[in-house]
Amino acid sequence: GVGRKALVVDPLPQGALPIYDRDIDVGAVVVSSNGAAPESRVFGDRVTIPEFEIVSNPTVRIAEVKRRRFNVIDRAQQKARQEIQAQEDANVFSALEFAGDSALGGENTAVNIAGGALTKNGMLDLKRQVDRWDLVTAKYFMNINEFTDILGWESAGAAGASQVDPVTQRELLQTGLYGHIFGADIVVSKVVPSGRAFACADPEFVGVMPVRQDIEVLPADEPKQLKLGWVVSEIVGIGIVNPRGVATGTLT
């Protein structure tokens, strides 16, 4: 999954609680009584991130195992892991969407990107929302449709201004890939809703994902139905500790 690239992954030891400190708010309080020196009091808060389980239960008929030429058992377990990761990513981007919109409780204003396509100005607007808090935009998350908009940028705009520099244009023509823009990585995932784009600061300035149990596969056969089965599960939590490090945009 790509959602873990936006957050700090914290494997929890046995019995540890997922309690984390929010970014502190420093306020200077001048104390002049009896000639005392000025005092700076630090205010902070802690949050407890709830944990939840993500479970998949693939089954394969024994007859199918005998018929297939490829290893259907390995393939079923691999697909189950991918499904777990997709559900995990969906929860991560749901949290990022909530944290990146001031109308829902975040700190940044949701960006409207006009024109129906992802533009450089739209990506700069996302970057501006994060950078204005003295943070550095480190990653962009988008769907493959919005990534294709980037690949469609021409070498020169209508007014003659260059859309991309010659080095980037050569990279696009040779590889069809565009991995960086404005010093930030471009991460593409099918789980990101189409028509949306996210900008995030470095993971340590965004949030944390406590992992109580990483992806684990347990046998769960059903002999009476002549089926082989597995239970694939993980126990994780998702917390956006600093909403200022997230910006979200919608293509209109």
Side-chain angles (χ1 to χ4, degrees):
V2 301
R4 298 192 180 198
K5 295 183 179 181
L7 307 174
V8 175
V9 178
D10 181 26
L12 294 176
Q14 181 71 28
L17 297 177
I19 299 177
Y20 300 93
D21 292 320
R22 295 178 56 189
D23 195 8
I24 62 173
D25 185 10
V26 179
V29 180
V30 178
V31 180
S32 59
S33 177
N34 297 326
E39 176 187 358
S40 179
R41 299 178 183 175
V42 178
F43 300 93
D45 195 7
R46 288 186 172 183
V47 294
T48 301
I49 299 178
E51 303 171 17
F52 57 92
E53 297 178 351
I54 303 178
V55 183
S56 178
N57 179 218
T59 59
V60 178
R61 296 190 63 86
I62 297 177
E64 292 296 323
V65 178
K66 303 298 183 181
R67 292 192 186 111
R68 303 290 179 179
R69 292 186 178 183
F70 60 89
N71 194 331
V72 67
I73 295 178
D74 290 345
R75 183 59 177 163
Q77 294 182 7
Q78 181 184 13
K79 294 287 288 184
R81 290 189 180 94
Q82 293 176 356
E83 180 64 24
I84 292 290
Q85 293 170 356
Q87 293 182 39
E88 178 185 292
D89 285 350
N91 283 280
V92 170
F93 289 117
S94 177
L96 292 177
E97 181 178 353
F98 187 88
D101 190 348
S102 59
L104 301 177
E107 294 281 349
N108 293 324
T109 304
V111 177
N112 288 324
I113 304 174
L118 189 59
T119 61
K120 289 178 67 176
N121 289 334
M123 298 185 74
L124 285 173
D125 290 339
L126 289 173
K127 178 179 173 62
R128 184 180 296 110
Q129 291 293 319
V130 175
D131 292 353
R132 67 194 178 105
W133 301 107
D134 291 333
L135 298 172
V136 177
T137 302
K139 292 182 177 66
Y140 286 101
F141 295 91
M142 63 189 68
N143 192 281
I144 187 63
N145 294 325
E146 282 64 53
F147 183 70
T148 306
D149 293 339
I150 295 178
L151 298 181
W153 289 353
E154 298 180 359
S155 58
S162 177
Q163 288 276 1
V164 294
D165 58 274
V167 175
T168 302
Q169 183 182 2
R170 181 174 181 272
E171 180 182 353
L172 284 172
L173 293 175
Q174 286 187 330
T175 65
L177 298 175
Y178 192 4
H180 307 275
I181 185 171
F182 311 133
D185 296 333
I186 297 177
V187 183
V188 180
S189 173
K190 66 177 183 180
V191 184
V192 180
S194 181
R196 302 299 299 271
F198 298 90
C200 295
D202 291 313
E204 56 266 29
F205 300 112
V206 176
V208 66
M209 175 184 287
V211 179
R212 177 73 63 186
Q213 170 196 306
D214 216 335
I215 294 181
E216 183 175 331
V217 181
L218 300 175
D221 299 338
E222 300 177 7
K224 293 184 179 180
Q225 299 184 15
L226 298 178
K227 290 183 179 180
L228 301 176
W230 305 267
V231 172
V232 186
S233 65
E234 69 175 6
I235 305 174
V236 298
I238 297 173
I240 308 300
V241 183
N242 183 16
R244 295 178 176 180
V246 183
T248 178
T250 304
L251 275 66
T252 59

